[in-house]
Amino acid sequence: MKNPLGIHYGSFVKDWSENQLPIISKVKELGFDVFEFGAPWLVNQSDAGIAAFRKEAEANRMQVVLSLGLSTAQDISSNDPAIRKTGLNFLTKLAKAMPKVGAKYCSGIIHGSWNGKISRYEEKAARWDNSVKTMKEACKVFA
């Protein structure tokens, strides 16, 4: 069995929220086996949209994995409990959508926000603790 070869949806879109369903057949035509697509896009799909995506992936014998970069509004390392809750809610929705689309893996930045910055080094330990606590809660849903 050969090692599967995959590609990220960012190679095909100008906007992260673009419809990713039509990309599947193009990815297959190019000879790829794995399509890494956007978790935020998936979470915003209806059950019918998720089913259509899965059907297309299965028809093309395409393994799907998810890509994620939490936004600053979803930063599970934040010192703001409301922001951490927003991130946890997003991860919970993602955990429920992944089996529906047939995805087993999500890669990317899930421990904090994409391009997040810590203003003072002293914040690092607290942000780490916030991330670990929130991730433990998210893992209950993913398990």
Side-chain angles (χ1 to χ4, degrees):
M1 179 178 183
K2 69 175 186 154
N3 285 334
L5 183 62
I7 192 164
H8 189 274
Y9 76 108
S11 300
F12 302 95
V13 299
K14 292 179 184 177
D15 180 323
W16 298 117
S17 62
E18 285 182 44
N19 184 3
Q20 294 166 38
L21 181 120
I23 302 171
I24 295 171
S25 60
K26 178 155 189 86
V27 166
K28 187 63 176 182
E29 286 174 29
L30 293 171
F32 293 98
D33 309 296
V34 180
F35 180 45
E36 184 176 357
F37 71 104
W41 180 83
L42 176 65
V43 167
N44 289 317
Q45 298 305 301
S46 66
D47 283 342
I50 292 172
F53 189 91
R54 182 174 186 154
K55 182 178 179 183
E56 182 71 7
E58 288 174 348
N60 283 281
R61 297 185 317 275
M62 184 66 54
Q63 179 184 352
V64 293
V65 297
L66 288 150
S67 177
L68 174 60
L70 289 173
S71 70
T72 54
Q74 301 165 322
D75 185 354
I76 66 169
S77 76
S78 174
N79 289 319
D80 183 335
I83 292 174
R84 288 195 310 272
K85 181 71 172 168
T86 299
L88 179 60
N89 288 341
F90 177 84
L91 291 173
T92 298
K93 288 180 186 176
L94 178 61
K96 292 176 180 177
M98 286 177 64
K100 293 177 185 177
V101 80
K104 296 179 182 177
Y105 305 103
C106 180
S107 66
I109 302 179
I110 59 172
H111 64 279
S113 69
W114 174 258
N115 289 333
K117 295 184 175 39
I118 297 175
S119 58
R120 295 184 341 263
Y121 182 79
E122 295 79 27
E123 290 181 51
K124 190 172 181 177
R127 302 280 297 235
W128 175 269
D129 289 342
N130 291 338
S131 180
V132 169
K133 286 179 203 171
T134 309
M135 191 58 72
K136 283 181 178 179
E137 288 300 309
C139 285
K140 292 175 184 175
V141 181
F142 278 95

